[in-house]
Amino acid sequence: MKAAPRTSRLFFAVWPPRAAAEALHAWALEARHATGGRATRAETIHLTLVFLGEVSDNELCGAIQAAREAKSNSHAMILEEAKFWRRNRIVWVGPRETPEPLGILVENLKGRLMAKNFKTENRPFAAHITLIRKADEPRQLPPLPAVSWPVEEFVLVRSQLSADGSCYERLASFALT
C-alpha cells in the first residue's frame, strides 16, 4: 500500500523589515492594555497575500512556479489605520487602501495558482496585518507608530501550529521588480 504524500500548510506573504516588526510588536503590547488578547510575536508579523492551506509535497513545485511567474512592482506600504474586527476578535493594522502594486501581485498570483489547479479564497483581498488575537473591543487604540515597510519581495511560507502559536518557515522568496 502506497503512503499518502506528506502535506504542509502553506501561504504566500510579505514580511516587514525587522525594525518595522519590532515597532508593530511594541504597539501591539501597548494596545493589549485596551484589548486583552494575545499579541503576535515580532518574528511572525506578516501580511498574508494568498492562503493555500494543505499542499502536498508533490504540488509544492507548482506553487513555486506560479510565484515565479507572478509579477508586480516593489513599493512602500504605509500603515495608516488600526481596527478591531469583532467577528474574528482580532486587532489589525494596515493601509487605508491596498497599494495598487500589492493588489496587482495578489490577483496575478491567484491567477497563476488557479491555472495550476490550486484553490484560493474567492473574497476580495484586504491588506491587513493581524497583531492581536482573542481581543476584546477597545474603546480606543493607541496611535500607530510611523513604520517604514518597503515591499520588495514576497515569500512562500510553511506554517506549523504549536502550543506557543504558529511557527513559520520560509521556503522560497520572490523578488519584485
Side-chain angles (χ1 to χ4, degrees):
M1 184 176 224
K2 191 175 182 181
R6 193 183 103 164
T7 64
S8 298
R9 190 171 189 245
L10 302 180
F11 63 94
F12 288 97
V14 293
W15 239 261
R18 184 178 179 155
E22 289 172 356
L24 291 171
H25 179 67
W27 179 88
L29 292 177
E30 181 184 350
R32 274 189 28 210
H33 295 295
T35 66
R38 182 173 43 96
T40 302
R41 296 184 321 273
E43 67 272 12
T44 63
I45 291 173
H46 67 279
L47 186 151
T48 300
L49 301 173
V50 178
F51 180 74
L52 294 177
E54 292 296 326
V55 174
S56 74
D57 285 353
N58 298 340
E59 298 168 309
L60 182 59
C61 288
I64 290 171
Q65 185 60 39
R68 285 185 181 138
E69 296 168 0
K71 303 292 180 209
S72 188
N73 296 323
S74 59
H75 61 281
M77 184 165 52
I78 300 169
L79 306 179
E80 303 161 296
E81 62 182 1
K83 300 268 183 156
F84 171 76
W85 275 344
R86 179 178 289 126
R87 180 175 174 217
N88 297 347
R89 294 188 60 210
I90 65 169
V91 174
W92 63 271
V93 299
R96 283 193 185 90
E97 293 184 23
T98 298
E100 184 177 12
L102 192 61
I104 289 169
L105 174 60
V106 169
E107 288 309 309
N108 198 323
L109 183 56
K110 279 183 167 182
R112 303 289 178 169
L113 288 162
M114 288 189 293
K116 296 188 182 308
N117 297 317
F118 286 93
K119 297 200 182 328
T120 63
E121 292 180 318
N122 200 19
R123 64 184 170 178
F125 175 70
H128 71 282
I129 300 99
T130 300
L131 293 180
I132 304 174
R133 297 185 182 282
K134 298 182 180 179
D136 295 322
E137 187 167 9
R139 279 194 253 203
Q140 184 174 349
L141 291 168
L144 281 173
V147 173
S148 175
W149 187 330
V151 179
E152 298 169 342
E153 70 174 6
F154 65 104
V155 293
L156 176 61
V157 180
R158 175 183 292 138
S159 172
Q160 295 177 312
L161 299 177
S162 75
D164 296 329
S166 294
C167 296
Y168 300 131
E169 176 187 2
R170 296 179 198 201
L171 301 178
S173 61
F174 310 92
L176 300 174
T177 57

